[in-house]
């Protein structure tokens, strides 16, 4: 009897856990459903962007389409090929990265540009402190669009970019803090350093931005970040969420989705039916045998 | 019951703790922080240090770099206290102004130096006056920059953190040192200016010279040689063997030496300049060698010469609209009074070369072109440039015509079936899982309309996660596809048709609509589950017989003796040897079950055996006597401590049989 009750309780707790996991808002960085400071829910809603859980869902005709990717997970060769094809056939690819796998994409696309991978600090032109460098040197096309400053959040810089492709630079006082001591030391590269570059590639366009955090909810309205993103993200916008690290909560949500999907298959549904029947029959048979044994005991008495 | 509740509570507490941990672990190692919670701190030594650097650069007369650095310190974007920002802004303005004046002074003094070296005594005094004015302005500006520096240091003081105090102090010292160097620079400029004034004073005693320039014609063709001549005289005395340089519109074209009589003459060839209507010719004399200490420099009056050439125009016949992938002809004619045959014509589409061609004898040209499919649709331009022909003195020309690249977007409409049933077909697969492959073959009809020809367009149909590709032409079409079975495919599902045309003049297009998918297997499962639940409920419905005793309070709450655990349940009694009690109860239950089944009178959970007897007796009085006796035996079996005899057991079985017999006979009649 106790085992049965315990089983029911465990089942109830598991169900509660599943429901909580299912409905609890995601807290993952850049997650489209995360409405706190580090999510991208505002970007998705204000830009009417479509979140992508797989690059294979990209439209086959990418003209007038922008794909925004934050490469914090390694790309498979299939994904890289999709990106290459996307740009080659007229799509606009926006890579926002600082310390992730952006260079893997750039290398595959055959461009010289690279993310430096060192922390960019600006002790003078910043928001609050040197970790939030502000850039206010833009190409004429961006400046004409009314963009005066873009604020970053723990950014890096770009390397190997031809000067004509650079559209935004950090200030003269910025530097790459290669030893992470927060101060400029002899030998550390000083600004101005390229932070945003746009390059025509094939039939499409490649935009490289040295900080993905400019699109998170907490940064989107800082300076002219929104205006700038409006300039580079045009037409139909897709946000690639498939290369973001998963939090345990995200993983749990994913497992639940997989379970739901599996239950949608023939095997899953049949399994569920069999399980239900077994439990029902077991309950019935168990009850019956119990009654019989009690009857026998009574008889013995 | 308390124990499970305690366990449940423990589980929930554990779960809550784990949940908190899981959510906390949700914070990944992404390098960014919440801007609203970030710590605010200023860097005050940096602007001071860079101002010191900028002033040092000024003191070293590196004005361009100093100006750039000051521009970089533009304070409106700097993260500094407002008071500091205001003073910094003022300091920036003054420093920028100072840099500009110093730079200008440098240029003016350089010009003065050149004029003095060339003995240009007409222009030198004006430049010296300008330099003197600049030196005075610079002196005043340096004073203002000093005041601003003091104010800046004063304003930054309250915001200096202990950590930064030493570096700020060092920067201040460096800034003051740089300002000292700047004051030295001011003195240096003053000395330089004085030296130049002194030299200019000396050169005012040089002999003045006069240079004349003449020509026969006031107009000339491009490439034509023009005869020019003149005299060089110093206070009425001809200057022989002196170099005179001839300039056309500020470009030195020739140099000629004067003769013994100070006369010079030469031919000037007019450059092939087709973009000017008139040029100005000048002659210059700059004293060299010993002449530098004797004569002043001079220049002639300028002579305006009208430039002649054959203008060229080009007439273009080009389509204003084109379809990518289809050939079109571009024709044109070059018109000029000069040469029109063999003229080189180059065409650029936007900025990319389109073709290059030479004109025929009559100046005509034509070319078939085909625009590639990769071109974007919309407005483009074709630039035709005709190169100048110097031989015939014919100018070149450029003309631009606009070209609209047309691409049609096909309009797709879909007419899906109202409902799709899944699965429609079952096929054995031979695999363990899934044992059967089940699909629904659906047919989607629709129309494609385009203003331009459309053939063999790739139509990709997507329904409920499945897709298929086929080829359609313009007009009506029909696409078939197989939708694999899945339980999740149910309800309104989106149908999307993406059309990728083969023709370069067509744009991709897509159309979306919805269709109702009814999943028969899903419904079947639902029915099975519901039926199972129903059966289960029915199985448990006769609580009076098979339910727990605690649901029969009247049955147990009025016992003649304390209720025992065993009587909570209504056991199905089994006749066992020496167990008459079970036989009696079984006989009673058998009779009750039979009455329930035949007459529908239920022994409800709240009823006692006596209640049941009364209910049966009131509606079926013929059973009253027999059932009363049987009920008495059953009650005795249930509640009495005394053992029942075999005779009672046998009697109970007889009574039960009688009830059934009577009932059956009644049923038959």
């Amino acid at each position: 009897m106790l085992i049965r009750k315990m089983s029911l309780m465990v089942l109830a707790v598991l169900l509660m856990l599943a429901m909580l996991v299912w409905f609890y808002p995601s807290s993952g960085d850049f997650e489209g459903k995360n409405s706190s400071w580090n999510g991208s829910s505002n970007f998705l809603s204000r830009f009417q962007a479509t979140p992508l859980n797989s690059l294979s869902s990209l439209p086959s005709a990418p003209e007038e389409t922008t794909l925004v990717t934050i490469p914090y997970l390694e790309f498979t060769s299939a994904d890289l090929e999709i990106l290459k094809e996307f740009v080659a056939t007229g799509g606009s690819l926006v890579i926002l990265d600082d310390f992730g796998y952006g260079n893997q994409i750039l290398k595959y696309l055959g461009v010289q540009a690279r993310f430096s991978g060192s922390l960019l600090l600006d002790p003078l032109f910043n928001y609050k402190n040197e970790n939030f460098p502000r850039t206010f040197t833009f190409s004429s096309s961006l400046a004409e669009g009314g963009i005066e400053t873009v604020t970053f959040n723990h950014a890096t810089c770009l390397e190997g970019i031809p000067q004509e492709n650079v559209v935004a630079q950090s200030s003269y006082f910025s530097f790459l803090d290669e030893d992470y001591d927060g101060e400029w030391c002899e030998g550390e590269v000083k600004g101005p350093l390229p932070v945003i570059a746009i390059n025509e590639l094939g039939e499409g366009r490649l935009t490289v931005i040295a900080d993905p955090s400019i699109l998170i909810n907490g940064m989107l309205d800082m300076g002219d970040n929104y205006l700038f993103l409006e300039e580079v993200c045009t037409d139909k916008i897709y946000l690639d969420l498939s290369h973001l690290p998963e939090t345990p909560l995200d993983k749990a949500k994913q497992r639940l989705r997989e379970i739901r999907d599996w239950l949608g298959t023939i095997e899953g549904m049949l399994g569920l039916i069999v399980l239900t029947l077994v439990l029902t029959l077991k309950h019935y048979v168990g009850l019956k045998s119990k009654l019989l044994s009690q009857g026998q005991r009574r008889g013995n008495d | 019951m308390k124990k499970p509740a305690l366990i449940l509570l423990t589980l929930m507490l554990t779960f809550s703790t784990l949940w908190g941990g899981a959510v906390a672990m949700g914070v990944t190692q992404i390098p960014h922080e919440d801007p609203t919670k970030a710590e605010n701190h200023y860097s005050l030594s940096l602007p001071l240090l860079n101002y010191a650097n900028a002033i040092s650069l000024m003191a070293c007369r590196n004005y361009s770099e100093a100006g750039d650095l000051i521009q970089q310190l533009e304070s409106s974007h700097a993260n500094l206290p407002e008071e500091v920002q205001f003073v910094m802004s003022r300091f920036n303005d003054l420093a920028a102004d100072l840099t500009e004046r110093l730079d200008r002074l440098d240029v003016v003094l350089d010009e003065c130096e050149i004029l003095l070296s060339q003995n240009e005594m007409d222009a030198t005094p004006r430049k010296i006056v300008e330099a003197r004015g600049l030196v005075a302005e610079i002196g005043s500006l340096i004073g203002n920059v000093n005041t601003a520096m003091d104010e800046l240091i004063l304003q930054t003081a309250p915001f200096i953190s202990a950590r930064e105090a030493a570096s700020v102090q060092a920067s201040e010292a460096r800034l003051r040192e740089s300002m000292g160097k700047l004051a030295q620079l001011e003195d240096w400029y003053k000395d330089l200016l004085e030296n130049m004034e002194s030299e200019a004073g000396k050169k005012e005693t040089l002999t003045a010279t006069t240079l004349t320039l003449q020509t026969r014609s006031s107009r000339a063709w491009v490439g034509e040689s023009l005869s020019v001549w003149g005299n060089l005289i110093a206070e009425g005395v001809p200057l022989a063997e002196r170099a005179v340089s001839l300039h056309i519109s500020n470009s030195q074209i020739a140099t000629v030496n004067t003769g013994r009589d100070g006369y010079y003459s030469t031919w000037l060839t007019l450059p092939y300049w087709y973009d000017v209507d008139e040029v100005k010719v000048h002659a210059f004399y700059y004293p060299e060698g010993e002449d530098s200490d004797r004569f002043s420099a001079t220049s002639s009056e300028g002579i305006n010469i009208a430039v002649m050439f054959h203008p060229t125009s080009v007439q273009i016949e080009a389509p204003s609209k084109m379809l990518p992938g289809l050939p079109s002809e571009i024709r044109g004619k070059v018109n000029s009074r000069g040469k029109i045959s063999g003229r080189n014509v180059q065409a650029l589409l936007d900025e990319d070369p389109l073709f290059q061609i030479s004109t025929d004898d009559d100046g005509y040209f034509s070319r078939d072109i085909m625009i590639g499919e990769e071109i974007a649709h919309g407005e483009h331009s074709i630039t035709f440039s005709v190169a100048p022909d110097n031989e015939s003195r014919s100018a070149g020309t450029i003309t631009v015509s606009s070209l609209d690249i047309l691409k049609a977007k096909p309009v797709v409409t879909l007419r899906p079936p109202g409902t799709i049933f899944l699965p429609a077909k079952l096929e054995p697969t031979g695999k363990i899982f899934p044992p059967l492959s089940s699909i629904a073959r659906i047919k989607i009809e629709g129309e494609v309309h385009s203003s331009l020809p459309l053939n063999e367009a790739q139509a990709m149909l997507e329904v409920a996660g499945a897709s298929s590709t086929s080829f359609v032409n313009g007009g009506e079409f029909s696409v078939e596809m197989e939708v694999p079975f899945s339980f999740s495919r149910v309800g309104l599902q989106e149908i999307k048709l993406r059309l990728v045309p083969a023709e370069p003049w067509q744009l991709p297009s897509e159309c979306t609509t919805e269709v109702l998918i009814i999943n028969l297997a899903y419904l079947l499962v639902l029915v099975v589950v519901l039926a199972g639940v129903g059966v289960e409920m029915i199985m448990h419905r006769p609580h009076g017989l098979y339910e727990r005793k605690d649901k029969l309070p009247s049955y147990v709450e009025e016992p003649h003796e304390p209720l025992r655990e065993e009587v909570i349940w209504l056991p199905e009694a089994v006749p066992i040897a020496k167990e008459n009690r079970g036989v009696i109860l079984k006989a009673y239950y058998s009779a009750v079950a039979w009455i329930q089944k035949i007459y529908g009178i239920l022994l409800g959970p709240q009823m006692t055996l006596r209640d049941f007897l009364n209910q049966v007796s009131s509606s079926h009085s013929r059973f009253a006597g027999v059932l009363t006796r049987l009920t008495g035996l059953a009650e005795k079996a249930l509640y009495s401590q005394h053992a029942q005899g075999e005779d009672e057991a046998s009697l109970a079985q007889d009574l039960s049989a009688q009830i059934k017999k009577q009932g059956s006979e009644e049923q038959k009649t």
Side-chain angles (χ1 to χ4, degrees):
Chain A
M1 195 63 188
L2 186 65
I3 292 170
R4 186 162 167 262
K5 281 180 184 172
M6 283 293 293
S7 306
L8 282 172
M9 282 175 194
V10 169
L11 189 66
V13 169
L14 284 176
L15 274 173
M16 275 172 60
L17 178 69
M19 283 174 69
L20 202 55
V21 167
W22 188 264
F23 291 109
Y24 195 87
S26 171
S27 61
D29 291 277
F30 307 105
E31 274 296 328
K33 287 177 184 167
N34 179 1
S35 56
S36 68
W37 69 272
N38 61 338
S40 61
S41 59
N42 289 351
F43 175 81
L44 285 179
S45 60
R46 289 166 70 180
F47 283 86
Q48 295 185 330
T50 308
L52 282 184
N53 290 314
S54 166
L55 288 181
S56 54
S57 311
L58 273 171
S60 51
E63 274 185 345
E64 298 174 1
T65 301
T66 299
L67 171 66
V68 179
T69 185
I70 301 163
Y72 271 158
L73 291 180
E74 201 166 353
F75 278 67
T76 61
S77 45
D79 281 348
L80 289 169
E81 192 53 41
I82 289 171
L83 289 186
K84 193 171 188 176
E85 182 68 16
F86 176 81
V87 181
T89 51
S92 173
L93 175 64
V94 181
I95 306 173
L96 294 117
D97 189 25
D98 40 21
F99 309 101
Y101 289 86
N103 285 343
Q104 193 196 2
I105 306 175
L106 296 173
K107 193 175 173 186
Y108 195 83
L109 293 178
V111 293
Q112 296 295 313
R114 294 288 184 272
F115 293 95
S116 144
S118 295
L119 184 64
L120 178 75
L121 299 182
D122 194 325
L124 190 58
F125 295 100
N126 59 53
Y127 170 77
K128 288 195 173 180
N129 61 52
E130 64 274 10
N131 291 316
F132 295 85
R134 275 182 163 163
T135 178
F136 46 89
T137 310
F138 296 98
S139 65
S140 54
S141 59
L142 289 181
E144 282 163 14
I147 297 162
E148 289 180 0
T149 174
V150 170
T151 309
F152 295 97
N153 185 336
H154 294 72
T156 186
C157 76
L158 304 174
E159 290 172 345
I161 307 263
Q163 192 55 38
E164 65 267 23
N165 293 341
V166 175
V167 296
Q169 285 184 318
S170 65
S171 91
Y172 176 87
F173 306 97
S174 62
F175 63 92
L176 287 181
D177 187 22
E178 280 155 16
D179 56 3
Y180 293 94
D181 67 346
E183 288 176 357
W184 181 80
C185 302
E186 200 63 43
E188 287 180 335
V189 183
K190 285 170 107 173
L193 297 162
V195 284
I196 303 168
I198 296 177
N199 191 20
E200 300 297 325
L201 200 64
E203 293 300 309
R205 191 170 78 154
L206 174 69
T207 305
V208 189
I209 302 170
D211 182 24
S213 306
I214 61 168
L215 61 69
I216 60 173
N217 297 334
M219 298 295 295
L220 191 59
D221 288 320
M222 203 158 282
D224 296 319
N225 288 11
Y226 180 80
L227 206 57
F228 164 70
L229 286 169
E230 237 182 7
E231 283 286 325
V232 295
C233 300
T234 51
D235 306 311
K236 177 73 185 154
I237 301 164
Y238 291 91
L239 176 63
D240 172 27
L241 301 177
S242 63
H243 293 91
L244 294 173
E246 281 184 317
T247 61
L249 180 62
D250 295 328
K251 282 178 187 164
K253 279 175 182 283
Q254 183 57 31
R255 293 298 95 76
L256 284 179
R257 274 192 288 271
E258 284 169 12
I259 291 169
R260 184 199 59 185
D261 293 343
W262 183 77
L263 288 176
T265 62
I266 292 177
E267 299 94 306
M269 192 56 83
L270 286 176
L272 195 65
I273 293 167
V274 169
L275 183 69
T276 310
L277 287 174
V278 164
L279 287 175
T280 310
L281 289 173
K282 190 184 169 192
H283 169 68
Y284 181 72
V285 170
L287 180 65
K288 195 155 184 170
S289 62
K290 193 170 188 177
L291 290 174
L292 280 171
S293 66
Q294 280 180 352
Q296 281 174 346
R297 202 162 57 242
R298 173 70 68 82
N300 293 336
D301 291 344
Chain B
M1 199 57 201
K2 281 180 185 173
K3 205 172 175 183
L6 197 67
I7 292 167
L8 181 63
L9 190 68
T10 313
L11 273 172
M12 287 181 76
L13 280 172
T14 314
F15 161 71
S16 304
T17 314
L18 288 173
W19 177 251
V23 171
M25 281 201 297
V27 182
T28 55
Q29 297 305 310
I30 301 288
H32 58 198
E33 62 182 305
D34 186 351
T36 56
K37 291 177 182 165
E39 189 191 344
N40 192 10
H41 58 81
Y42 307 117
S43 175
L44 293 162
S45 64
L46 195 68
L48 293 176
L49 185 67
N50 280 282
Y51 279 132
N53 290 341
I55 303 289
S56 281
L57 286 168
M58 278 188 222
C60 298
R61 294 175 62 211
N62 192 343
Y63 306 124
S64 145
E65 279 188 32
D68 287 347
L69 186 50
I70 286 163
Q71 207 176 1
Q72 298 292 340
L73 283 157
E74 206 276 305
S75 61
S76 63
H77 297 298
N79 179 29
L80 291 170
E82 270 184 39
E83 301 89 325
V84 178
Q85 263 195 19
F86 175 76
V87 184
M88 240 180 94
S89 166
R90 187 75 192 114
F91 191 95
N92 269 4
D93 292 346
L94 287 168
D97 210 3
L98 178 62
T99 315
E100 198 184 313
R101 301 294 161 99
L102 283 167
D103 198 23
R104 177 68 194 148
L105 178 62
D106 236 20
V107 171
V108 171
L109 288 174
D110 282 349
E111 285 172 358
C112 270
E113 206 171 344
I114 292 165
L115 290 172
L116 275 172
S117 69
Q118 291 176 345
N119 295 351
E120 286 263 19
M121 298 320 296
D122 292 339
T124 304
R126 285 199 303 274
K127 287 288 169 193
I128 286 178
V129 169
E130 190 185 345
R132 202 181 293 137
L134 283 167
V135 167
E137 285 176 18
I138 285 163
S140 164
L141 274 171
I142 288 174
N144 289 339
V145 170
N146 255 317
T147 313
M149 178 191 69
D150 291 337
E151 186 62 21
L152 185 61
I153 289 167
L154 193 70
Q155 291 293 343
T156 51
F159 301 101
I160 299 166
S161 62
R163 195 184 65 171
E164 218 192 359
S167 58
V168 171
Q169 212 171 358
S171 302
E172 281 174 16
R174 182 104 185 263
L175 183 57
R176 287 186 194 285
E177 187 190 338
S178 301
M179 288 304 294
K181 284 183 192 168
L182 198 60
Q184 288 172 9
L185 180 71
E186 186 192 354
D187 295 339
W188 181 82
Y189 272 123
K190 280 178 181 167
D191 291 347
L192 186 65
L193 188 60
E194 274 175 27
N195 288 341
M196 282 184 180
E197 281 173 330
S198 157
E199 195 177 345
K202 285 178 196 166
K203 289 202 172 182
E204 272 172 11
T205 55
L206 295 174
T207 308
T209 53
T210 311
L211 184 63
T212 61
L213 175 68
Q214 285 180 290
T215 179
R216 284 196 181 85
S217 177
S218 61
R219 57 184 196 162
W221 289 90
V222 288
E224 186 184 350
S225 293
L226 188 69
S227 172
V228 292
W229 66 92
N231 284 296
L232 177 63
I233 301 161
E235 291 183 343
V237 179
L239 292 177
E241 299 299 324
R242 302 299 199 281
V244 173
S245 57
L246 293 153
H247 293 229
I248 296 179
S249 296
N250 297 326
S251 296
Q252 187 177 334
I253 302 295
T255 304
V256 60
N257 280 351
T258 57
R260 289 187 176 182
D261 51 358
Y263 177 82
Y264 71 92
S265 70
T266 188
W267 293 90
L268 282 181
T269 304
L270 214 58
Y272 290 99
W273 291 347
Y274 298 100
D275 52 348
V276 290
D277 296 329
E278 194 177 68
V279 291
K280 198 164 215 172
V281 182
H282 276 101
F284 292 91
Y285 165 65
Y286 298 110
E288 290 172 344
E290 291 176 356
D291 285 354
S292 302
D293 299 327
R294 295 169 62 197
F295 304 111
S296 64
T298 187
S299 65
S300 71
E301 293 283 325
I303 298 173
N304 288 327
I305 306 289
V307 179
M308 295 189 294
F309 55 83
H310 296 298
T312 300
S313 64
V314 60
Q315 287 174 295
I316 300 291
E317 284 179 40
S320 59
K321 293 173 181 178
M322 279 181 76
L323 296 173
L326 285 184
S328 289
E329 188 185 18
I330 290 179
R331 289 185 295 176
K333 184 177 187 311
V334 174
N335 299 306
S336 176
R337 288 192 175 180
K339 186 182 169 188
I340 55 171
S341 64
R343 297 289 295 271
N344 186 281
V345 181
Q346 192 182 19
L348 302 173
L349 175 59
D350 297 329
E351 289 173 0
D352 300 322
L354 187 63
F355 66 84
Q356 196 166 348
I357 197 168
S358 291
T359 56
D360 63 14
D361 290 347
D362 301 319
Y364 287 102
F365 68 90
S366 76
R367 184 71 174 254
D368 285 333
I369 61 161
M370 190 165 75
I371 307 292
E373 63 182 288
E374 66 280 357
I375 194 167
H377 69 288
E379 200 74 21
H380 293 264
S381 64
I382 303 182
T383 307
F384 298 91
S385 62
V386 181
D389 184 66
N390 293 340
E391 197 181 325
S392 64
R393 290 166 177 160
S394 299
T397 187
I398 290 176
T399 185
V400 179
S401 64
S402 65
L403 178 65
D404 195 7
I405 299 292
L406 297 179
K407 284 190 179 180
K409 188 157 194 167
V411 179
V412 186
T413 47
L414 291 177
R415 292 193 299 272
T419 312
I420 295 173
F421 290 96
L422 272 176
K425 186 182 171 188
L426 291 170
E427 291 171 349
T429 62
K431 293 175 186 172
I432 299 170
F433 282 108
L436 296 170
S437 158
S438 37
I439 54 156
R441 181 168 286 118
I442 61 165
K443 186 178 175 184
I444 309 277
E445 293 180 339
E447 285 176 59
V448 183
H449 290 291
S450 174
S451 53
L452 299 169
L454 176 85
N455 286 300
E456 290 294 301
Q458 200 179 28
M460 282 171 284
L461 189 66
E462 290 175 20
V463 183
S467 64
S468 86
T469 304
S470 50
F471 294 90
V472 299
N473 296 321
E476 302 259 333
F477 70 85
S478 169
V479 180
E480 282 196 2
M481 73 173 290
E482 291 179 345
V483 180
F485 175 80
S486 168
F487 279 93
S488 57
R489 291 191 184 106
V490 67
L492 277 176
Q493 295 282 332
E494 189 179 74
I495 295 184
K496 188 190 274 183
L497 186 102
R498 291 181 187 177
L499 198 72
V500 183
E503 295 84 2
W505 54 82
Q506 298 281 8
L507 286 169
S509 178
E510 66 179 41
C511 175
T512 306
T513 185
E514 284 187 328
V515 64
L516 178 67
I517 293 186
I518 294 176
N519 198 323
L520 294 173
Y522 190 84
L523 288 177
L524 186 67
V525 167
L526 205 63
V527 168
V528 167
V529 169
L530 287 174
V533 171
V535 166
E536 179 71 6
M537 284 173 73
I538 290 165
M539 293 289 285
H540 285 80
R541 195 176 58 161
H543 299 288
L545 274 176
Y546 297 105
E547 191 50 278
R548 301 183 312 181
K549 181 66 188 288
D550 59 1
K551 291 191 178 172
L552 294 168
S554 60
Y555 189 71
V556 295
E557 280 173 9
E558 296 173 16
H560 302 292
E561 58 188 1
L563 184 64
R564 290 189 303 168
E565 184 67 20
E566 286 78 7
V567 297
I568 296 297
W569 293 90
L570 289 173
E572 187 178 345
V574 180
I576 302 169
K578 297 179 183 176
E579 222 300 81
N580 297 322
R581 189 181 181 190
V583 176
I584 293 167
L585 284 176
K586 188 178 180 188
Y588 175 76
Y589 297 152
S590 170
V592 169
W594 190 85
I595 290 167
Q596 285 189 152
K597 185 179 173 187
I598 301 300
Y599 299 106
I601 301 168
L602 299 176
L603 175 57
Q606 306 300 324
M607 291 167 78
T608 61
L609 304 192
R610 196 59 64 173
D611 291 339
F612 182 72
L613 171 65
N614 292 337
Q615 205 171 338
V616 174
S617 301
S618 62
S619 54
H620 303 279
S621 55
R622 63 193 168 283
F623 295 126
V626 187
L627 188 59
T628 306
R629 289 177 69 192
L630 184 58
T631 304
L633 287 170
E635 284 177 338
K636 195 176 170 185
L638 278 171
Y639 307 128
S640 174
Q641 295 272 354
H642 301 286
Q644 281 71 43
E646 279 184 21
D647 54 337
E648 286 173 311
S650 166
L651 177 61
Q653 283 175 328
D654 288 347
L655 292 170
S656 178
Q658 276 181 44
I659 289 169
K660 289 176 188 172
K661 192 179 175 187
Q662 280 179 23
S664 300
E665 283 169 359
E666 190 182 308
Q667 288 280 311
K668 282 176 188 172
T669 55

